[in-house]
Structure formats: structure tokens, C-alpha cells
């Protein structure tokens, strides 16, 4: 919670100062404060970010390499740094992944691939740095797109509607994190189910799993609301990250509503090229969900979790819902239950613990 408050205060100060100064000076306030914040909180993260940005900028705009060589070099630099950090995290107990690395690495992969496809043609180093040093999305995303960001960044103007909407989204975010996740779910509900352990083991186990899933959801959704709100205060629109995923009628729809910026990134740069090149949509889906799983953590747990999501997506259309409200509600319940049960695999650290929970939930103990 302390990190959230600190992050919010620094971001709010950066946004406020950006409107205090006019013209280019005001616009540069946010990236400068972001750089200072990273230098204070995670100097390694700032160093890696600057290495990625300057390397990509030089490769894409200053080198004489062919486009294919350029994209290979950019992906090698950015992907290599991200992969090294993930492997070190998996192998070292004391290692903490540099702040925001997973998010700004994917932003830079997005930037390089959009340049390769010719959708980003003109940009300056200052604009590229501003895109990467935008503090509202630095902590936990979303993975915002360069084209949409720079359009608002270049044309931004003070708008009372943006201020009102931004403050509203920030309030929603803090409510989700502090009231729903931290107080109601983590504190009150956890205390309520403690007494069920001995007499009602199944209820205790399933309730604990629900607490794990929904606490994570409301925490993440709350952070996304705050990031969206702060961005709107700065005059920049960024893409939504959640759209009531637990109202989805199947897992295919669920992953268009849950962690939407990551899902869209993987759809654009993993699923579409693989499915098109190999003419095999199924291969595209399995690799997409495996990458989504491993992006969260480089471990067998998250790989298996990603493959479970693939299975859910693959069999999404097995039961047609039609226009029946009753069947839609049953499908929503089944989809939510499937996702909750899939999270057993990431709620524990050992295979033995995972199997013991599944035995309880499926009455096999």
C-alpha cells in the first residue's frame, strides 16, 4: 500500500506540474520526474530502460541495416534483457525483477514491430523517450500503444472533462484496492473462513481459492483504473485493461476482457503472425497462451496455467449458448469456475500442494 501511495503522489505531482509549465517545458516534466523516480526506486530499471530505448532508436533510425536485421537486433536486445531478468528471477530467491521491466519491454517490442510494419514512420528521440518515461503506466501497465499515446501527447490540451473523468477513475481504483481487495476480501473474508477449516474443509479450500483469485483481480483492476485516471489527467488516453471479465460466457471472451492490453499485444504479435504463417490457428492460440503464462512468471506453474487457458479457449464453443438468458448465466458461472479452478496451479509453489487442493475440490481426498 505504501508503494501505491508513493507512486500516486509522484505521478499526481508530475501531471500537475506538466500543466503548470507551458509548451515543451510542461510536456517534459512527466518524463523527467519519471526518470528521477526510477533512479530513486530502481536504478537498474532506469538503466535497462535507457539501454533499450537508445539501442532501439539507433538501430531503427540511425543504422544502415536492412529492415529484417533491424527488427532482429531490436527484438534481441529487448527480449534478451527481459528473458535474462525472468531467468534470474526464477533461479535466484533474492532477485527482484527491475521495476516495470515486463511492461516497458513489451512496449518497446510493440514500437519496433510497428516500425517494421511501416505504421510508425516519423518520430524523434524525445517522443520515444516520453512514451517510455510516462509514469502513470510505469508500475503495472497497461501496455499502451505508441501511436495512440503520441497523438494525444502532441495535441494535448487542458480539458475539464478529462480532469473529471480522471479523478473518477482514480477514485474507482483506490476503492477496488483499499476497500474491496485489502479490507473486504483479504481481511474480512479471510477471517470469516478461518473457522471453517476443521468442519467444512471443502468450503474453506474453495473460499480460499476465490479470495486468491478475486484479490488479485481487484488489485490489478484497481491499479489499471488509477493508471488510466492519471493518464487522463495528463491529457492522454490509454487503452482499457479490464472489462468485467467474470461476466464472460466462455474463455475465449474472457481473454478479450481480462488483461486486455497484454491479450491484444499477444494477439497482434504472436497469434496473428503464427496462425497466418503456419495456417494453423490452434498453434497460434497455444503459443499465445503459453507466452501469456510465462510473461507472468518463468516457471512450470505459469506454463501449465497458460496451457489450461488454451484448453478453455479451444473448447469455448462446445456448448452453444444462443440467446437464452438462462444458458448465458450458466455459461458465465461455468467460465468463472473454470478460471478459478485453473488458478490453483499458480496459488501454490509446489506440485504436492497443488495436487492436494485439487483432491479436496474434486472430493478425491
Amino acid at each position: 500500500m505504501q508503494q501505491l501511495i508513493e507512486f500516486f503522489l509522484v505521478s499526481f505531482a508530475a501531471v500537475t506540474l506538466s500543466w503548470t509549465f507551458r509548451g515543451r517545458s510542461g510536456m517534459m516534466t512527466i518524463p523527467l520526474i519519471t526518470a528521477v523516480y526510477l533512479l530513486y526506486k530502481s536504478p537498474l530499471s532506469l538503466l535497462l530502460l535507457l539501454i533499450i530505448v537508445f539501442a532501439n532508436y539507433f538501430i531503427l533510425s540511425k543504422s544502415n541495416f536492412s529492415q529484417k536485421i533491424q527488427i532482429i537486433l531490436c527484438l534481441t536486445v529487448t527480449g534478451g534483457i527481459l528473458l535474462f531478468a525472468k531467468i534470474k528471477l526464477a533461479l535466484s530467491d533474492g532477485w527482484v525483477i527491475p521495476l516495470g521491466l515486463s511492461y516497458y519491454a513489451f512496449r518497446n517490442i510493440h514500437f519496433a514491430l510497428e516500425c517494421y510494419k511501416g505504421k510508425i514512420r516519423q518520430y524523434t528521440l524525445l517522443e520515444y523517450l516520453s512514451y517510455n518515461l510516462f509514469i502513470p503506466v510505469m508500475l503495472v501497465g497497461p501496455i499502451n500503444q505508441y501511436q495512440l499515446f503520441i497523438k494525444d501527447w502532441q495535441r494535448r490540451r487542458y480539458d475539464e472533462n478529462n480532469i473529471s473523468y480522471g479523478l473518477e477513475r482514480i477514485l474507482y481504483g483506490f476503492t477496488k484496492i483499499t476497500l474491496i481487495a485489502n479490507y473486504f476480501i483479504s481481511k474480512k473474508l479471510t477471517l470469516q473462513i478461518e473457522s471453517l477449516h476443521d468442519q467444512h474443509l471443502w468450503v474453506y479450500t474453495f473460499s480460499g481459492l476465490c479470495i486468491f483469485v478475486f484479490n488479485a483481480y481487484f488489485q490489478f483492476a484497481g491499479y489499471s483504473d488509477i493508471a488510466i485516471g492519471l493518464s487522463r489527467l495528463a491529457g492522454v488516453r490509454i487503452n482499457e485493461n479490464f472489462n468485467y471479465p467474470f461476466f464472460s460466457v466462455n474463455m475465449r471472451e474472457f481473454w478479450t476482457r481480462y488483461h486486455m492490453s497484454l491479450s491484444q499485444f499477444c494477439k497482434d504479435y504472436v497469434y496473428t503472425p503464427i496462425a497466418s504463417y503456419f495456417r494453423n490457428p490452434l498453434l497460434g492460440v497455444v503459443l499465445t497462451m503459453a507466452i501469456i503464462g510465462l510473461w507472468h512468471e518463468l516457471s512450470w506453474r505459469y506454463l501449465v496455467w497458460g496451457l489450461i487457458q488454451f484448453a478453455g479457449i479451444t473448447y469455448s464453443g462446445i456448448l452453444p449458448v444462443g440467446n437464452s438468458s438462462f444458458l448465458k448465466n450458466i455459461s458465465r458461472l461455468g467460465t468463472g469456475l473454470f478460471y478459478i479452478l485453473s488458478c490453483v496451479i499458480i496459488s501454490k509453489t509446489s506440485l504436492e500442494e497443488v495436487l492436494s487442493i485439487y483432491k479436496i475440490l474434486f472430493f478425491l481426498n
Side-chain angles (χ1 to χ4, degrees), residues 268-307:
D268 291 341
Y269 305 123
V270 181
Y271 171 77
T272 299
I274 289 174
S276 300
Y277 183 81
F278 292 101
R279 297 183 181 180
N280 189 338
L282 204 62
L283 178 62
V285 176
V286 68
L287 290 177
T288 297
M289 299 317 298
I291 288 174
I292 286 178
L294 293 173
W295 179 85
H296 286 87
E297 181 184 292
L298 204 63
S299 66
W300 68 268
R301 300 183 305 141
Y302 275 89
L303 175 60
V304 173
W305 177 79
L307 296 177

Side-chain angles (χ1 to χ4, degrees), residues 164-199:
S164 175
Y165 181 79
L167 292 174
E168 184 178 330
R169 288 300 294 265
I170 290 170
L171 178 61
Y172 289 162
F174 272 104
T175 300
K176 288 175 182 176
I177 294 171
T178 60
L179 185 61
I180 299 177
N182 291 349
Y183 178 74
F184 181 69
I185 295 177
S186 297
K187 186 177 181 180
K188 287 297 183 180
L189 283 183
T190 300
L191 288 175
Q192 289 294 322
I193 70 166
E194 285 298 324
S195 61
L196 301 174
H197 182 272
D198 295 327
Q199 296 182 340

Side-chain angles (χ1 to χ4, degrees), residues 246-250 253 320-335:
F246 290 96
F247 287 91
S248 305
V249 297
N250 56 51
E253 182 183 351
V321 176
N323 295 321
S324 169
S325 297
F326 175 75
L327 289 178
K328 283 184 178 180
N329 289 330
I330 293 297
S331 295
R332 291 186 180 106
L333 182 63
T335 299

Side-chain angles (χ1 to χ4, degrees), residues 352-365:
E352 184 179 356
E353 290 177 302
V354 168
L355 293 176
S356 68
I357 290 180
Y358 275 128
K359 285 179 181 179
I360 293 171
L361 293 176
F362 289 102
F363 305 100
L364 298 174
N365 59 321

Side-chain angles (χ1 to χ4, degrees), residues 3-19 29-31 33-34 37 133-140 170 174 223 226-231 233-234:
Q3 186 182 37
L4 171 62
I5 297 297
E6 184 181 81
F7 163 75
F8 172 75
L9 291 175
V10 173
S11 300
F12 191 80
V15 170
T16 303
L17 288 173
S18 74
W19 293 113
T29 303
I30 294 178
I33 291 178
T34 305
Y37 175 73
L133 292 170
F134 187 60
I135 194 168
V137 298
M138 183 59 63
L139 202 61
V140 289
I170 290 170
F174 272 104
Y223 271 104
I226 292 172
I228 290 168
L230 287 167
S231 299
L233 291 183

Side-chain angles (χ1 to χ4, degrees), residues 4 51 59 102 138 157 164 194 203 237 256 259 264:
L4 171 62
I51 289 173
I59 292 168
S102 295
M138 183 59 63
R157 59 184 178 82
S164 175
E194 285 298 324
V203 176
R237 298 171 185 266
T256 64
H259 208 334
Q264 187 62 48

Side-chain angles (χ1 to χ4, degrees), residues 3-57:
Q3 186 182 37
L4 171 62
I5 297 297
E6 184 181 81
F7 163 75
F8 172 75
L9 291 175
V10 173
S11 300
F12 191 80
V15 170
T16 303
L17 288 173
S18 74
W19 293 113
T20 303
F21 301 102
R22 294 184 177 181
R24 187 175 292 273
S25 298
M27 293 175 65
M28 288 310 301
T29 303
I30 294 178
L32 284 174
I33 291 178
T34 305
V36 173
Y37 175 73
L38 281 179
L39 183 63
Y40 167 69
K41 293 295 293 185
S42 180
L44 178 59
S45 181
L46 177 61
L47 175 63
L48 294 178
L49 174 58
L50 293 178
I51 289 173
I52 291 172
V53 168
F54 282 103
N56 283 359
Y57 180 78

